[in-house]
mmCIF file of all heavy atoms in Angstrom:
data_model
loop_
_atom_site.group_PDB
_atom_site.id
_atom_site.type_symbol
_atom_site.label_atom_id
_atom_site.label_comp_id
_atom_site.label_asym_id
_atom_site.label_seq_id
_atom_site.Cartn_x
_atom_site.Cartn_y
_atom_site.Cartn_z
ATOM 1 N N CYS A 461 169.903 48.169 84.116
ATOM 2 C CA CYS A 461 171.193 48.203 84.802
ATOM 3 C C CYS A 461 171.907 49.527 84.555
ATOM 4 O O CYS A 461 172.472 50.132 85.474
ATOM 5 C CB CYS A 461 172.067 47.040 84.332
ATOM 6 S SG CYS A 461 171.516 45.419 84.923
ATOM 7 N N ILE A 462 171.879 49.977 83.293
ATOM 8 C CA ILE A 462 172.553 51.237 82.970
ATOM 9 C C ILE A 462 171.873 52.397 83.668
ATOM 10 O O ILE A 462 172.527 53.312 84.185
ATOM 11 C CB ILE A 462 172.574 51.439 81.439
ATOM 12 C CG1 ILE A 462 173.532 50.421 80.814
ATOM 13 C CG2 ILE A 462 172.997 52.852 81.074
ATOM 14 C CD1 ILE A 462 173.534 50.421 79.307
ATOM 15 N N HIS A 463 170.539 52.349 83.702
ATOM 16 C CA HIS A 463 169.820 53.407 84.406
ATOM 17 C C HIS A 463 170.210 53.432 85.882
ATOM 18 O O HIS A 463 170.441 54.498 86.475
ATOM 19 C CB HIS A 463 168.309 53.184 84.257
ATOM 20 C CG HIS A 463 167.474 54.227 84.940
ATOM 21 N ND1 HIS A 463 167.076 54.122 86.254
ATOM 22 C CD2 HIS A 463 166.982 55.420 84.504
ATOM 23 C CE1 HIS A 463 166.359 55.179 86.592
ATOM 24 N NE2 HIS A 463 166.295 55.981 85.548
ATOM 25 N N ASP A 464 170.322 52.232 86.482
ATOM 26 C CA ASP A 464 170.688 52.157 87.898
ATOM 27 C C ASP A 464 172.150 52.560 88.124
ATOM 28 O O ASP A 464 172.504 53.037 89.208
ATOM 29 C CB ASP A 464 170.462 50.733 88.418
ATOM 30 C CG ASP A 464 168.981 50.379 88.502
ATOM 31 O OD1 ASP A 464 168.155 51.314 88.469
ATOM 32 O OD2 ASP A 464 168.661 49.182 88.578
ATOM 33 N N MET A 465 173.018 52.351 87.107
ATOM 34 C CA MET A 465 174.425 52.727 87.243
ATOM 35 C C MET A 465 174.608 54.242 87.312
ATOM 36 O O MET A 465 175.540 54.732 87.956
ATOM 37 C CB MET A 465 175.227 52.204 86.034
ATOM 38 C CG MET A 465 175.532 50.726 86.055
ATOM 39 S SD MET A 465 176.165 50.181 84.444
ATOM 40 C CE MET A 465 177.522 51.338 84.200
ATOM 41 N N ARG A 466 173.733 54.978 86.624
ATOM 42 C CA ARG A 466 173.943 56.410 86.493
ATOM 43 C C ARG A 466 173.865 57.141 87.822
ATOM 44 O O ARG A 466 174.555 58.130 88.029
ATOM 45 C CB ARG A 466 172.927 56.985 85.497
ATOM 46 C CG ARG A 466 173.300 56.656 84.059
ATOM 47 C CD ARG A 466 172.267 57.117 83.087
ATOM 48 N NE ARG A 466 172.760 57.024 81.718
ATOM 49 C CZ ARG A 466 171.998 57.126 80.657
ATOM 50 N NH1 ARG A 466 170.699 57.317 80.794
ATOM 51 N NH2 ARG A 466 172.524 57.044 79.443
ATOM 52 N N GLY A 467 173.034 56.624 88.730
ATOM 53 C CA GLY A 467 172.942 57.267 90.037
ATOM 54 C C GLY A 467 174.257 57.216 90.804
ATOM 55 O O GLY A 467 174.807 58.263 91.187
ATOM 56 N N PRO A 468 174.808 56.009 91.053
ATOM 57 C CA PRO A 468 176.100 55.928 91.740
ATOM 58 C C PRO A 468 177.221 56.669 91.003
ATOM 59 O O PRO A 468 178.092 57.272 91.637
ATOM 60 C CB PRO A 468 176.383 54.419 91.786
ATOM 61 C CG PRO A 468 175.047 53.772 91.707
ATOM 62 C CD PRO A 468 174.223 54.670 90.831
ATOM 63 N N LEU A 469 177.214 56.619 89.663
ATOM 64 C CA LEU A 469 178.247 57.330 88.913
ATOM 65 C C LEU A 469 178.145 58.833 89.098
ATOM 66 O O LEU A 469 179.159 59.531 89.218
ATOM 67 C CB LEU A 469 178.158 56.977 87.419
ATOM 68 C CG LEU A 469 178.652 55.578 87.027
ATOM 69 C CD1 LEU A 469 178.298 55.282 85.581
ATOM 70 C CD2 LEU A 469 180.162 55.467 87.231
ATOM 71 N N SER A 470 176.919 59.345 89.135
ATOM 72 C CA SER A 470 176.735 60.781 89.376
ATOM 73 C C SER A 470 177.244 61.162 90.758
ATOM 74 O O SER A 470 177.883 62.210 90.938
ATOM 75 C CB SER A 470 175.256 61.148 89.236
ATOM 76 O OG SER A 470 174.811 60.946 87.918
ATOM 77 N N SER A 471 176.976 60.304 91.748
ATOM 78 C CA SER A 471 177.475 60.571 93.098
ATOM 79 C C SER A 471 179.000 60.554 93.131
ATOM 80 O O SER A 471 179.640 61.436 93.723
ATOM 81 C CB SER A 471 176.926 59.530 94.074
ATOM 82 O OG SER A 471 175.520 59.612 94.159
ATOM 83 N N ALA A 472 179.593 59.546 92.480
ATOM 84 C CA ALA A 472 181.053 59.459 92.441
ATOM 85 C C ALA A 472 181.657 60.687 91.771
ATOM 86 O O ALA A 472 182.659 61.242 92.237
ATOM 87 C CB ALA A 472 181.471 58.185 91.699
ATOM 88 N N ARG A 473 181.024 61.133 90.696
ATOM 89 C CA ARG A 473 181.534 62.317 89.993
ATOM 90 C C ARG A 473 181.474 63.546 90.906
ATOM 91 O O ARG A 473 182.390 64.375 90.954
ATOM 92 C CB ARG A 473 180.715 62.557 88.726
ATOM 93 C CG ARG A 473 181.377 63.500 87.740
ATOM 94 C CD ARG A 473 180.529 63.716 86.497
ATOM 95 N NE ARG A 473 181.326 64.234 85.411
ATOM 96 C CZ ARG A 473 181.784 65.464 85.326
ATOM 97 N NH1 ARG A 473 181.529 66.329 86.303
ATOM 98 N NH2 ARG A 473 182.521 65.847 84.292
ATOM 99 N N GLY A 474 180.377 63.665 91.644
ATOM 100 C CA GLY A 474 180.243 64.803 92.550
ATOM 101 C C GLY A 474 181.308 64.811 93.624
ATOM 102 O O GLY A 474 181.887 65.869 93.938
ATOM 103 N N PHE A 475 181.578 63.631 94.205
ATOM 104 C CA PHE A 475 182.611 63.552 95.241
ATOM 105 C C PHE A 475 183.996 63.880 94.682
ATOM 106 O O PHE A 475 184.803 64.554 95.329
ATOM 107 C CB PHE A 475 182.620 62.162 95.877
ATOM 108 C CG PHE A 475 181.483 61.929 96.835
ATOM 109 C CD1 PHE A 475 180.606 60.876 96.651
ATOM 110 C CD2 PHE A 475 181.281 62.778 97.927
ATOM 111 C CE1 PHE A 475 179.549 60.665 97.523
ATOM 112 C CE2 PHE A 475 180.228 62.569 98.808
ATOM 113 C CZ PHE A 475 179.355 61.513 98.602
ATOM 114 N N VAL A 476 184.285 63.415 93.472
ATOM 115 C CA VAL A 476 185.581 63.707 92.862
ATOM 116 C C VAL A 476 185.714 65.200 92.599
ATOM 117 O O VAL A 476 186.764 65.816 92.857
ATOM 118 C CB VAL A 476 185.764 62.900 91.560
ATOM 119 C CG1 VAL A 476 187.023 63.359 90.823
ATOM 120 C CG2 VAL A 476 185.872 61.410 91.871
ATOM 121 N N GLU A 477 184.661 65.815 92.062
ATOM 122 C CA GLU A 477 184.703 67.263 91.800
ATOM 123 C C GLU A 477 184.900 68.045 93.098
ATOM 124 O O GLU A 477 185.639 69.036 93.132
ATOM 125 C CB GLU A 477 183.415 67.703 91.112
ATOM 126 C CG GLU A 477 183.312 67.238 89.655
ATOM 127 C CD GLU A 477 181.992 67.640 89.031
ATOM 128 O OE1 GLU A 477 181.018 67.878 89.793
ATOM 129 O OE2 GLU A 477 181.924 67.719 87.788
ATOM 130 N N LEU A 478 184.221 67.595 94.174
ATOM 131 C CA LEU A 478 184.369 68.259 95.466
ATOM 132 C C LEU A 478 185.811 68.137 95.958
ATOM 133 O O LEU A 478 186.396 69.117 96.455
ATOM 134 C CB LEU A 478 183.411 67.634 96.482
ATOM 135 C CG LEU A 478 183.426 68.226 97.893
ATOM 136 C CD1 LEU A 478 183.015 69.698 97.863
ATOM 137 C CD2 LEU A 478 182.478 67.441 98.805
ATOM 138 N N ALA A 479 186.396 66.945 95.813
ATOM 139 C CA ALA A 479 187.787 66.755 96.230
ATOM 140 C C ALA A 479 188.729 67.619 95.406
ATOM 141 O O ALA A 479 189.706 68.179 95.939
ATOM 142 C CB ALA A 479 188.165 65.279 96.102
#
Side-chain angles (χ1 to χ4, degrees):
C461 289
I462 290 174
H463 180 271
D464 290 343
M465 284 168 54
R466 284 176 169 167
L469 286 171
S470 295
S471 297
R473 196 180 199 286
F475 284 123
V476 172
E477 288 177 338
L478 181 62

